[in-house]
């Protein structure tokens, strides 16, 4: 214990000078815990009244009370520590509960765990980065999740927000180098002063506009003890660095984070496996390969010439050939284009493949074998009459022809939107907007891999690889969403005369536009043929609309609603103006030999306009006014 006055050399009067308070006398004594350890000090200043110095009796009184003060402080500290440990234990139990509650959504479970960790550790930011390939020696992150504390969100300045909007997460995440180090070594990193640590990239910090003081980064392990990512917290809100207790707690949270990620990935794999099995069983129950008798029949048949079949005519009658005649016509196209000879395609294999492709189209109203053949016929006519054979390589032509014949394999008469709305096995398997197109391609691959069906068997490994890539591009190009994404670039290239056949991307866009032009080709045929095709596809749409109403309890959009069939002329005008006409106009600019196709589109548009005017003579409206509405509902059509 110490007593002091102004005359005491141990007294520092600097505080008095700063505050203006005058210290006359002072009594200071230690506070001890039950083990006799000093845990603090108690201080009495300026005895009143009169300012007399503290006496021995004063010391005895203060000394009598200080043990109780020590007990109270120790109890308070013990309670605070117990409360903190309780909160941490409860948070971990809540994380366990989260794992059982949510096992289907990766983002939800990770963000729940991050939120609890951030709340307990009281930090500005919490983030999780997942590795793209856990087997690869190169560390590359593919997914990232991030949470900001409310305070941090409110204080984030405009420059930081702008940097986030203009760049990807990995671009502004502080020290990917720290995250990469943890992912590669499997060791945690706890940096108390980031700018003093050589592993810290101060330049990236300055670019982001978010100032980092402290970093705690730990690895995330899966059930087989492989690193699948890293978790990171930044900047304690109280300004202190992360201590050992914080690190132990965060590592405990990350264990549960790894379990949650592992569970959701396994759930997703199980779900996809179920969907794959469901699709496979559905396909097997519906389809089969052709018989030997069918193959022998066409193998021995005389194949009519192109002129006899009329398949080189842009205005070919889509309904003129029966199902067997379409097989012979397809054989003629392969021979006429020189593909049988060039690629050494076994003729019997070609017959078998064509017959099995036909068998793998369902008996739906429009997206059936006849439609596939008609798309292929129009591609053949465009290639041979417009001179595209001179521009495209033989591999590209083969991919386009095969792509046309396979582009709607196993179509169910319902579109991508229906697959998504109904949660079908196809939607669960492919999980993409181009659900059906991916299925059509995979179905084509399945047929090619079936015994006796590989028409590409004699290609070199490089040609085979290139062809399969081109085939996939061709089939996926029939997704109208992709068409809308790419057509602007195509239109601009053509309009400014900048099309260069030596540029790979230009060729790919052109092939995609050709596929769409052939897929929509019914609109380019003479009126009676075009109208019949329109009525067939509309009938198929109506059947989907009926299912939406009865099975999904949804009100179908106009083009799928049987109760609004009187609007068919208007809908056809919207279809032509929004999708068809711009494409064929652009193709004619590229090659004037295709003008007969555009002329037919214009004639057919005029016919639909007449029907529309007759149906609504008092409310006739220019069809151009409908285009924005139609484009907005494209997701329903595709």
């Amino acid at each position: 214990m110490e007593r002091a006055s102004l005359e005491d050399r141990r007294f520092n009067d600097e505080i008095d000078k700063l505050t203006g308070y005058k210290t006359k006398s002072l009594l200071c004594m230690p506070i001890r815990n039950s083990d006799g350890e000093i845990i603090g000090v108690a201080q009495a200043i300026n005895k009143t009244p009169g300012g007399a110095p503290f006496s021995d009796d004063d010391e005895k009184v203060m000394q009598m009370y200080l043990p109780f003060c020590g007990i109270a402080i120790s109890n308070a500290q013990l309670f605070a520590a117990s409360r903190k440990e309780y909160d941490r234990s409860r948070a971990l139990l809540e994380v366990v509960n989260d794992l059982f509650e949510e096992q289907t959504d990766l983002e939800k479970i990770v963000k729940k765990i991050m939120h609890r960790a951030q709340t307990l550790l009281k930090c500005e930011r919490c983030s999780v980065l997942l590795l793209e390939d856990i087997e690869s020696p190169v560390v590359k992150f593919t997914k990232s999740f991030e949470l900001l504390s409310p305070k941090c969100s409110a204080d984030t300045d405009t420059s930081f927000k702008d940097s986030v909007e203009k760049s990807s997460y990995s671009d502004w995440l502080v020290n990917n180098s720290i995250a990469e180090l943890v992912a590669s070594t499997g060791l945690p990193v706890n940096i108390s002063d980031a700018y003093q640590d050589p592993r810290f990239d101060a330049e990236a910090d300055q670019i982001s506009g978010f100032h980092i003081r402290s970093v705690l980064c730990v690895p995330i392990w899966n059930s087989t003890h492989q690193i699948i990512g890293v978790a990171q917290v930044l900047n304690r809100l109280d300004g202190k660095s992360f201590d050992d207790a914080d690190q132990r707690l965060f590592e405990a949270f990350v264990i549960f984070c790894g379990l949650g990620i592992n569970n959701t990935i396994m759930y997703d794999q199980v779900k996809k496996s179920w969907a794959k099995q469901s699709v496979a069983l559905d396909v097997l129950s519906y389809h089969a390969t052709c018989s030997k008798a069918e193959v022998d029949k066409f193998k021995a048949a005389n194949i009519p010439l192109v002129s006899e079949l009329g398949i080189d005519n842009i205005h070919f009658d889509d309904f003129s050939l029966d199902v067997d005649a379409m097989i012979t016509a397809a054989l003629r196209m392969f021979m006429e284009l020189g593909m049988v000879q060039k690629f050494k395609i076994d003729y019997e294999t070609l017959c078998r493949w064509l017959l099995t492709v036909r068998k793998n189209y369902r008996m739906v109203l429009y997206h059936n074998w006849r439609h596939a053949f008609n798309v292929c016929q129009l591609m053949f006519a465009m290639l041979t009459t417009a001179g595209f054979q001179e521009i495209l390589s033989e591999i590209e032509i083969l991919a386009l022809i095969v792509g046309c014949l396979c582009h709607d394999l196993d179509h169910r008469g319902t579109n991508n939107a229906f697959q998504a709305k109904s949660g079908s096995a196809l939607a669960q398997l492919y999980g993409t907007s181009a659900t059906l197109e991916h299925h059509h391609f995979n179905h084509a691959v399945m047929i090619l891999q079936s015994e006796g069906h590989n028409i590409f068997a004699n290609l070199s490994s490089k040609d085979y690889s290139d062809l399969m890539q081109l085939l996939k591009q061709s089939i996926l190009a029939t997704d109208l969403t992709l068409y809308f994404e790419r057509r602007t670039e195509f239109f601009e290239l053509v309009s400014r005369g900048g099309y260069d056949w030596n540029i790979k991307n230009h060729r790919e866009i052109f092939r995609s536009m050709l596929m769409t032009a052939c897929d929509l080709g019914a609109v380019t045929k003479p009126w009676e043929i075009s109208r019949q095709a329109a009525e067939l596809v509309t009938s198929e749409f109506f059947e989907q609309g009926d299912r939406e109403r009865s099975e999904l309890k949804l009100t179908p959009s106009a083009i799928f609603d049987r109760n609004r069939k009187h609007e068919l002329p208007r809908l056809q005008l919207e279809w032509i103006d929004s999708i068809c006409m711009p494409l064929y106009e652009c193709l004619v600019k590229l090659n004037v030999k295709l003008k007969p196709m555009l002329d037919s589109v214009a004639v057919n548009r005029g016919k639909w306009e007449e029907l529309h005017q007759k149906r609504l003579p008092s409310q006739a409206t220019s069809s151009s006014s409908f285009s924005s509405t139609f484009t907005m509902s494209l997701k329903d059509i595709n």
Side-chain angles (χ1 to χ4, degrees), residues 110-167:
V110 171
K111 286 198 171 181
K112 273 187 177 183
I113 295 172
M114 288 167 61
H115 176 71
R116 296 194 187 282
Q118 184 188 43
T119 302
L120 205 60
L121 291 172
K122 294 181 174 57
C123 58
E124 291 185 4
R125 309 180 94 85
C126 182
S127 54
V128 168
L129 292 89
L130 300 184
L131 289 172
E132 184 177 86
D133 183 1
I134 62 175
E135 302 291 346
S136 173
V138 179
V139 174
K140 186 176 181 182
F141 299 114
T142 180
K143 278 189 178 181
S144 56
F145 308 95
E146 191 239 2
L147 284 180
L148 282 74
S149 71
K151 178 183 181 303
C152 182
S153 298
D155 294 344
T156 301
D157 61 24
T158 305
S159 63
F160 176 70
K161 289 178 181 176
D162 290 343
S163 71
V164 173
E165 289 171 1
K166 293 176 183 177
S167 62

Side-chain angles (χ1 to χ4, degrees), residues 119-247:
T119 302
L120 205 60
L121 291 172
K122 294 181 174 57
C123 58
E124 291 185 4
R125 309 180 94 85
C126 182
S127 54
V128 168
L129 292 89
L130 300 184
L131 289 172
E132 184 177 86
D133 183 1
I134 62 175
E135 302 291 346
S136 173
V138 179
V139 174
K140 186 176 181 182
F141 299 114
T142 180
K143 278 189 178 181
S144 56
F145 308 95
E146 191 239 2
L147 284 180
L148 282 74
S149 71
K151 178 183 181 303
C152 182
S153 298
D155 294 344
T156 301
D157 61 24
T158 305
S159 63
F160 176 70
K161 289 178 181 176
D162 290 343
S163 71
V164 173
E165 289 171 1
K166 293 176 183 177
S167 62
S168 68
Y169 178 70
S170 60
D171 289 334
W172 61 260
L173 175 69
V174 178
N175 276 303
N176 254 2
S177 58
I178 298 294
E180 289 167 1
L181 176 65
V182 171
S184 59
T185 64
L187 300 175
V189 169
N190 190 343
I191 301 176
S192 58
D193 187 348
Y195 274 75
Q196 298 303 313
D197 195 293
R199 298 167 295 183
F200 180 77
D201 186 355
E203 191 174 331
D205 189 41
Q206 292 161 4
I207 291 172
S208 75
F210 178 77
H211 181 67
I212 301 305
R213 300 185 303 276
S214 53
V215 180
L216 174 57
C217 189
V218 300
I220 303 173
W221 306 84
N222 66 9
S223 58
T224 58
H225 206 65
Q226 292 174 297
I227 295 175
I228 58 174
V230 298
Q232 182 173 250
V233 285
L234 308 173
N235 293 2
R236 273 180 48 159
L237 291 174
D238 59 8
K240 297 179 182 179
S241 58
F242 296 103
D243 56 27
D244 290 341
D246 292 330
Q247 182 171 326

Side-chain angles (χ1 to χ4, degrees), residues 38 78 185 242 264 286 311 346-347 398 468 474 491 589:
I38 296 175
L78 183 61
T185 64
F242 296 103
T264 53
Y286 193 89
I311 53 176
D346 180 75
Y347 190 70
L398 179 59
M468 294 307 292
S474 298
F491 292 171
K589 288 180 184 176

Side-chain angles (χ1 to χ4, degrees), residues 57-105:
D57 290 338
D58 294 330
E59 289 181 14
K60 290 177 182 178
V61 171
M62 192 169 184
Q63 192 172 23
M64 182 175 63
Y65 279 101
L66 285 184
F68 297 103
C69 184
I71 292 170
I73 291 172
S74 294
N75 286 345
Q77 289 176 336
L78 183 61
F79 176 79
S82 300
R83 181 69 188 183
K84 188 174 183 180
E85 192 60 37
Y86 168 77
D87 289 341
R88 294 186 174 201
S89 298
R90 186 182 63 180
L92 289 175
L93 287 172
E94 288 171 344
V95 168
V96 174
N97 185 59
D98 290 339
L99 289 179
F100 285 103
E101 279 188 351
E102 181 59 66
Q103 299 189 50
T104 62
D105 191 308

Side-chain angles (χ1 to χ4, degrees), residues 34 47 63 112 158 181 188 207 232 296 347 392 397 402 407 457 472 515 522 595 604:
S34 59
K47 183 176 177 178
Q63 192 172 23
K112 273 187 177 183
T158 305
L181 176 65
I207 291 172
Q232 182 173 250
D296 291 342
Y347 190 70
L392 298 172
I397 291 172
V402 173
H407 83 282
K472 185 174 185 178
M515 287 297 299
K595 191 171 184 301
N604 291 333

Side-chain angles (χ1 to χ4, degrees), residues 10 206 223 241 315 320 451 476:
R10 292 168 298 178
Q206 292 161 4
S223 58
S241 58
H315 292 146
S320 62
E451 186 178 356
L476 295 187

